[in-house]
Amino acid sequence: MDQAEGLRRLQRPPTKVITVASGKGGVGKTNVVANLAITLARSGQRVMVFDADLGLGNIDILLGLTPRYNISHVLSGEKQLSDVLVRGPQDILVLPASSGVAGMASLDVATQSRLIDAVSTLDIPLDYLLVDCAAGIAGDVLTFSRAAQDLIVVLNNEPASVADAYALIKVLSKQYGLKRFHLLPNMVRDAREGQALFAKIAGVADRYLDVSLDLVGSIPLDASLRAAVRSQRAVVESAPQSASAVAFAALAARVKNWPLPQGPSGRIEFFMQQWLRAEQAA
């Protein structure tokens, strides 16, 4: 990298990196990522979604996209990252994961380094990078959660979802020192149910963990949301006046008020380097 290229990278605007995680699958995490990304893009933000469920990615399916290539082609050296990115609704960029490719769910250090190099050479200015990681508390979930600047934990009103969300927060807090978590109840009846769900998990966390939990809203499950999923569209596009779409708009407005990163921590390659360091330390 020559001096001019290094200067151009230093002059890039900061990118806000947000990881969206969940303690268990089936809580609508990927749907949250897709609708948040499109809503942010609609307001003029430049957004990229990284499908970090590396072996079982599905955000392309959710949005009705048909990518020819995915991240496995970058890591094998067959394609450049710019060849793999696809455009989604509202011009969001999507970095597709592979689906059903053995070995992708757990990358060795050399392979991770190739991914970092690929992202570092991506010369696209972005305001937001949303990381849709796998569900659970193992593997890359913890490292992606630790590397991002903000973490949204999605949960719903099922005992297993609440218990697993608490387990994720506990592991990240006790073992890795994370202190700040944004909680998003999803597929609830109304805001009151979302607040009650937040109070349930916050009450236990206040007793046993040294963390700060923030309720960032709640997403109701309505008929429009179910119809959007079936039609492989985001509800904010197919039914922008629906209760769920209005809730996603409120979430995006709140996210936009989070402070922007300062200095090199705001660059995507820094995020990828943090991911690698977290993996090596695990």
Side-chain angles (χ1 to χ4, degrees):
M1 181 173 63
D2 60 25
Q3 187 174 15
E5 174 61 17
L7 182 59
R8 283 194 294 271
R9 292 189 183 180
L10 285 173
Q11 292 173 338
R12 289 182 191 170
T15 300
K16 188 69 174 177
V17 180
I18 301 171
T19 290
V20 182
S22 64
K24 69 178 292 291
V27 300
K29 172 178 52 63
T30 297
N31 206 14
V32 167
V33 172
N35 281 281
L36 176 58
I38 292 169
T39 306
L40 287 169
R42 182 177 287 161
S43 69
Q45 306 300 303
R46 298 163 297 187
V47 183
M48 185 169 100
V49 173
F50 176 19
D51 191 343
D53 191 347
L54 298 177
L56 293 170
N58 63 0
I59 197 164
D60 54 326
I61 298 172
L62 184 68
L63 292 175
L65 305 176
T66 54
R68 294 182 60 190
Y69 309 108
N70 57 59
I71 197 170
S72 67
H73 296 96
V74 177
L75 298 179
S76 67
E78 298 174 60
K79 296 294 176 181
Q80 299 295 316
L81 191 61
S82 56
D83 301 324
V84 172
L85 292 172
V86 294
R87 294 276 177 183
Q90 296 295 320
D91 223 25
I92 65 170
L93 287 170
V94 177
L95 174 54
S98 56
S99 183
V101 177
M104 281 299 299
S106 181
L107 305 181
D108 58 36
V109 172
T111 306
Q112 291 177 47
S113 296
R114 287 197 294 274
L115 178 56
I116 290 170
D117 290 341
V119 175
S120 297
T121 60
L122 186 63
D123 194 20
I124 299 175
L126 293 171
D127 298 303
Y128 289 92
L129 171 63
L130 302 185
V131 182
D132 180 18
C133 61
I137 60 172
D140 289 337
V141 175
L142 300 178
T143 51
F144 280 125
S145 298
R146 293 152 60 197
Q149 293 137 0
D150 284 284
L151 172 64
I152 298 176
V153 178
V154 180
L155 68 160
N156 61 19
N157 198 6
E158 298 175 358
S161 176
V162 175
D164 290 348
Y166 178 80
L168 175 61
I169 293 168
K170 180 180 179 180
V171 169
L172 288 169
S173 169
K174 294 281 191 179
Q175 296 187 21
Y176 302 107
L178 266 67
K179 299 299 182 186
R180 186 164 56 98
F181 300 84
H182 305 289
L183 266 61
L184 179 66
N186 188 34
M187 299 189 292
V188 295
R189 287 190 298 270
D190 51 32
R192 181 177 297 179
E193 183 181 359
Q195 291 164 354
L197 187 55
F198 173 79
K200 184 184 301 183
I201 197 168
V204 180
D206 286 345
R207 291 181 62 188
Y208 299 108
L209 302 177
D210 180 21
V211 295
S212 172
L213 303 184
D214 170 37
L215 177 64
V216 293
S218 59
I219 310 298
L221 179 61
D222 58 25
S224 296
L225 184 59
R226 290 191 292 266
V229 172
R230 288 195 298 269
S231 64
Q232 294 181 282
R233 295 187 66 192
V235 71
V236 296
E237 291 223 303
S238 62
Q241 303 304 317
S242 65
S244 54
V246 170
F248 279 120
L251 173 64
R254 186 155 187 166
V255 166
K256 286 172 66 177
N257 284 328
W258 292 350
L260 289 172
Q262 301 297 320
S265 63
R267 296 186 178 84
I268 297 176
E269 56 265 35
F270 181 85
F271 161 73
M272 301 303 292
Q273 289 162 359
Q274 289 293 95
W275 172 34
L276 176 59
R277 292 187 187 120
E279 281 283 286
Q280 291 173 327

